[in-house]
Amino acid sequence: MHVLNVLSFLLITSCLCDGRRAKENKADYEHGMKIKTHYEPKSMFRMYTHGMDINDACTVKLFQAHTLQSCSFNSSHPLVIIIHGWSMDGMIESWVTRLAGALKSTQKDINILVSDWMTLAQQHYPIAVQNTRVIGQEITQLLMWLEDLTQFPVSKAHLIGYSLGAHIAGFAGRNLATSGRTLGRITGLDPAGPLFEGMSSTDRLSPDDARFVDAIHTFTQQHLGLSVGIKQPVAHYDFYPNGGSFQPGCDLHVKNLYTHLSQYGLMGFEQTMKCAHERAVHLFIDSLLNRDKQIMAYKCRDSAAFNKGVCLDCRKNRCNTLGYGIKKVHTSTSKRLYLKTRSIMPYKMYHFQFRIQLFTQFENTDLSLTIKLTGTLEESEALPITLVKVSGNKTYSFLITVDTDIGDLMMVHVSWEAESLWTNMWSKVKTILPWGSKEDGPQLTIGKIRVKAGETQQRATFCAETEDRGSIRALEEKIFVRCDKRQEKQELMRTRG
C-alpha cells in the first residue's frame, strides 16, 4: 500500500511536465537606454516566427534593445507570452509550438514570445514552485522594459500560462500592479494544484492579477487529497469542461499506466496522465483553429446541477465563449462555467435542456430512455438517457448534448426499455393499470416535453404526434412534434374534412 501511495503521488506531480533544457548566460543589459547593470537571466524569451521550431527562434534579451530589432518585435502589435510549466525531461512540449502556430496563423499581426524557464522548471516540484515567483518577476521586468523603451502598453499584453506557468503569469501581473500598471489579460490553462490549492489570492493566480483573467480546469480529479490541476476558481471566468475533474478520451491512457511504466519507466507517468491536464491547452488551440465552432459554457453552481440541464441561461453574462475569443467582462466575483465536449478536436458540443412529464404506476425504478433529435439541418444519433428512481407523475430535467449542429429542433423520437424489474412488477400490477389491454405489456405515458437549446437560447414545447397522450409500450418509438405544428396539422385536417 505504501508503494501505491508513493506511485500515486508521483502520478500527480509528474504530469505537470513540459519544457526543455535552457542554457544560462550572463550579459550586460541596457535599461531604458540609460541604466546598465550586470544581469544574470533565469529564463529565455524566444520570439516565435511562423513555421520555425521554438528551439531555433530568435531570443529577446532583457535590457538589450538591439535584440528587439533583430527579432522583429513590433510595438504596435499585441503581445502574447506563452509560459510552460514544470518539467521532468527538460524538453519543450509540442503543444507550445502548436499554440504559437495557431495564434500566429489566425491573428497574424501579433508578437509571440515563449518564456523558456527550463533551468528552473526541471527541478523537484516544490523547488520549481518556489522558482515561479522568480520567473514572474523576470516577466514583469520584460514588460516594464518594453513599456519604458518602446512605449508598448502592458495593457496590450496577454500571458497564457499552463500548469505552473499559470501562476507565474499571476505573479507577473501582481508585480505590475504594485508598480501602478495593469496587465491586459491572463489565461490559465489547468493551473497547477499541488502547493497552490487553498492558498490566498496573493500566492496563486487570481482575478486581481490582470484586467481580465480566464482559466480552464481540466484535471481536478483528486488522489491522496491532491489534484494535478487546481479546483478552486482563480479567474473572472473559470471553465470546467465535463465537470473539470477528467476528460473524455483520456481513460484509455489511465488503463495503459502499467504498459507505459514498463516501456518508459517513470516517464510513463507523463504518457498516461498528461492527457486530461493538457486538454486545457488543446481546447484553447481549438478556439483559434475552429472559429466557426466556438464552444459555449454556462454559469452553474456545480457539475451535478449542470447535468440536470438547469443552467443553460445566457442572461446577465451567465454564459460565455471558452478560449481566445471570450467575451471579456470584468466581474466582481468568479463565475464557474460548465460545458460538455467531444473527446477529439473540434471539441464543440450542442447543449439542450429537456424537461419531460412522465406518468407511471411504478415507484423508485430506474428508467432507460433512448432519445433521437431531428432538426432542420440534421438528425442526431440515438442518445441513451437513464432516469434514476422514477416514481408516479413527475417532471424530470436532464441535459442532452449532440456533437453536430442539427439546426432548429423539430421532432423528438422517444423509446424505452423494459428491464427485468419492470417485467416482474408488471405481472403484479397490470390489472390495475388504466391504459391498454392486459396483453399490451407495461407502458409509459409521456406528457409534454419542453426543450431549451443552450447555443441559440430557443425554447420549444413538444407534444405526441398522435392524440393518445404519448403512451408508449416497451421498445416502441413515439414521435413528438412541436405542439404548435401539431395544432396547425389538426386545423388543416378539420378544414379539409
Side-chain angles (χ1 to χ4, degrees):
M1 179 62 70
H2 177 70
V3 172
L4 288 177
N5 288 342
V6 171
L7 287 175
S8 297
F9 180 76
L10 287 173
L11 191 65
I12 294 168
T13 57
S14 63
C15 65
L16 299 165
C17 56
D18 42 55
R20 74 179 281 282
R21 285 188 171 85
K23 296 181 179 180
E24 292 187 355
N25 58 73
K26 296 182 179 180
D28 291 327
Y29 292 80
E30 183 181 63
H31 183 203
M33 305 297 287
K34 298 177 181 179
I35 303 173
K36 289 187 177 182
T37 180
H38 192 68
Y39 184 80
E40 183 177 355
K42 303 298 187 297
S43 65
M44 301 172 66
F45 295 102
R46 302 176 182 273
M47 176 70 76
Y48 176 78
T49 302
H50 194 55
M52 178 178 290
D53 188 90
I54 289 294
N55 298 318
D56 301 323
C58 182
T59 301
V60 172
K61 298 181 179 179
L62 271 174
F63 313 134
Q64 292 194 20
H66 70 276
T67 63
L68 291 174
Q69 184 176 1
S70 62
C71 292
S72 301
F73 179 85
N74 190 326
S75 60
S76 64
H77 294 164
L79 168 64
V80 171
I81 300 179
I82 300 171
I83 313 166
H84 63 77
W86 183 52
S87 175
M88 286 185 67
D89 61 2
M91 300 297 293
I92 285 185
E93 290 285 314
S94 60
W95 68 261
V96 175
T97 301
R98 288 194 63 194
L99 175 55
L103 284 163
K104 196 67 173 179
S105 63
T106 57
Q107 307 307 308
K108 300 190 185 305
D109 295 332
I110 190 172
N111 301 295
I112 301 175
L113 287 175
V114 175
S115 172
D116 180 354
W117 61 288
M118 274 303 129
T119 304
L120 298 186
Q122 194 183 5
Q123 305 285 341
H124 293 300
Y125 181 74
I127 297 176
V129 168
Q130 294 177 2
N131 292 336
T132 57
R133 291 184 180 272
V134 176
I135 304 305
Q137 181 59 45
E138 194 155 281
I139 293 175
T140 301
Q141 291 177 327
L142 171 74
L143 292 172
M144 292 177 64
W145 174 57
L146 289 176
E147 186 168 86
D148 293 342
L149 182 64
T150 69
Q151 286 72 58
F152 174 82
V154 297
S155 60
K156 291 175 65 176
H158 179 188
L159 307 189
I160 303 176
Y162 167 62
S163 197
L164 284 185
H167 299 295
I168 289 175
F171 294 142
R174 183 165 295 276
N175 294 337
L176 285 168
T178 60
S179 68
R181 314 185 199 203
T182 303
L183 184 62
R185 178 181 174 186
I186 294 175
T187 297
L189 302 177
D190 210 25
L195 302 184
F196 291 99
E197 190 82 61
M199 301 298 287
S200 70
S201 60
T202 58
D203 296 320
R204 55 165 173 81
L205 175 64
S206 83
D208 301 325
D209 298 332
R211 183 171 297 167
F212 183 76
V213 181
D214 57 308
I216 304 174
H217 306 256
T218 54
F219 196 10
T220 63
Q221 184 172 295
Q222 290 193 349
H223 299 274
L224 300 179
L226 297 173
S227 65
V228 173
I230 198 167
K231 188 172 185 177
Q232 69 186 99
V234 293
H236 293 112
Y237 283 86
D238 289 85
F239 294 83
Y240 295 85
N242 308 295
S245 61
F246 204 61
Q247 300 304 308
C250 292
D251 53 337
L252 294 177
H253 294 268
V254 175
K255 292 176 182 177
N256 291 332
L257 171 61
Y258 293 106
T259 300
H260 286 152
L261 281 175
S262 61
Q263 183 176 356
Y264 301 104
L266 286 178
M267 294 308 299
F269 286 115
E270 175 187 359
Q271 301 294 324
T272 55
M273 298 306 293
K274 75 174 184 177
C275 176
H277 191 37
E278 198 175 291
R279 180 63 58 83
V281 176
H282 299 292
L283 286 169
F284 194 85
I285 293 173
D286 182 43
S287 73
L288 289 161
L289 298 182
N290 294 292
R291 302 291 290 277
D292 61 332
K293 292 183 174 63
Q294 295 297 293
I295 300 174
M296 190 64 70
Y298 307 87
K299 182 177 182 292
C300 202
R301 67 176 182 271
D302 55 36
S303 183
F306 182 71
N307 289 334
K308 291 182 179 179
V310 298
C311 298
L312 303 186
D313 187 0
C314 286
R315 294 173 300 170
K316 298 180 179 179
N317 298 311
R318 288 190 178 96
C319 68
N320 210 330
T321 303
L322 178 147
Y324 186 82
I326 188 174
K327 183 180 178 182
K328 293 184 277 291
V329 179
H330 185 89
T331 60
S332 57
T333 58
S334 297
K335 289 188 187 317
R336 296 179 184 233
L337 281 73
Y338 292 83
L339 62 145
K340 297 288 186 178
T341 73
R342 285 159 34 98
S343 61
I344 58 175
M345 191 181 297
Y347 293 104
K348 181 179 179 65
M349 296 196 81
Y350 298 82
H351 302 75
F352 295 90
Q353 177 196 10
F354 270 67
R355 299 184 74 247
I356 185 169
Q357 291 177 305
L358 297 182
F359 301 88
T360 175
Q361 295 285 337
F362 305 114
E363 295 292 333
N364 297 323
T365 302
D366 292 351
L367 176 63
S368 297
L369 296 175
T370 298
I371 295 178
K372 187 168 61 176
L373 311 180
T374 298
T376 54
L377 297 179
E378 282 194 42
E379 185 174 83
S380 77
E381 61 183 7
L383 306 166
I385 301 294
T386 299
L387 300 180
V388 179
K389 295 185 178 180
V390 173
S391 299
N393 304 333
K394 292 183 180 179
T395 297
Y396 297 86
S397 179
F398 52 89
L399 179 73
I400 280 184
T401 56
V402 296
D403 58 8
T404 57
D405 183 4
I406 64 172
D408 293 336
L409 184 59
M410 301 304 295
M411 291 190 295
V412 179
H413 307 250
V414 182
S415 63
W416 65 281
E417 294 182 12
E419 299 179 1
S420 58
L421 178 60
W422 284 78
T423 304
N424 293 336
M425 294 177 64
W426 171 250
S427 62
K428 299 179 181 179
V429 303
K430 63 182 180 180
T431 57
I432 63 172
L433 290 177
W435 53 72
S437 66
K438 296 181 181 180
E439 289 76 25
D440 285 339
Q443 294 188 30
L444 180 70
T445 299
I446 299 179
K448 291 183 178 180
I449 301 175
R450 292 176 174 83
V451 181
K452 178 178 181 180
E455 279 65 29
T456 64
Q457 295 292 287
Q458 292 183 355
R459 298 175 183 267
T461 302
F462 293 81
C463 298
E465 189 176 36
T466 56
E467 296 186 35
D468 56 2
R469 296 187 67 237
S471 296
I472 313 176
R473 289 188 295 270
L475 302 180
E476 176 187 39
E477 182 181 273
K478 178 71 71 174
I479 296 177
F480 292 77
V481 298
R482 287 177 179 251
C483 295
D484 53 353
K485 294 294 182 183
R486 191 183 77 168
Q487 292 169 359
E488 290 176 7
K489 181 179 179 181
Q490 292 172 345
E491 288 295 328
L492 181 61
M493 292 178 64
R494 291 193 192 99
T495 301
R496 290 178 177 178

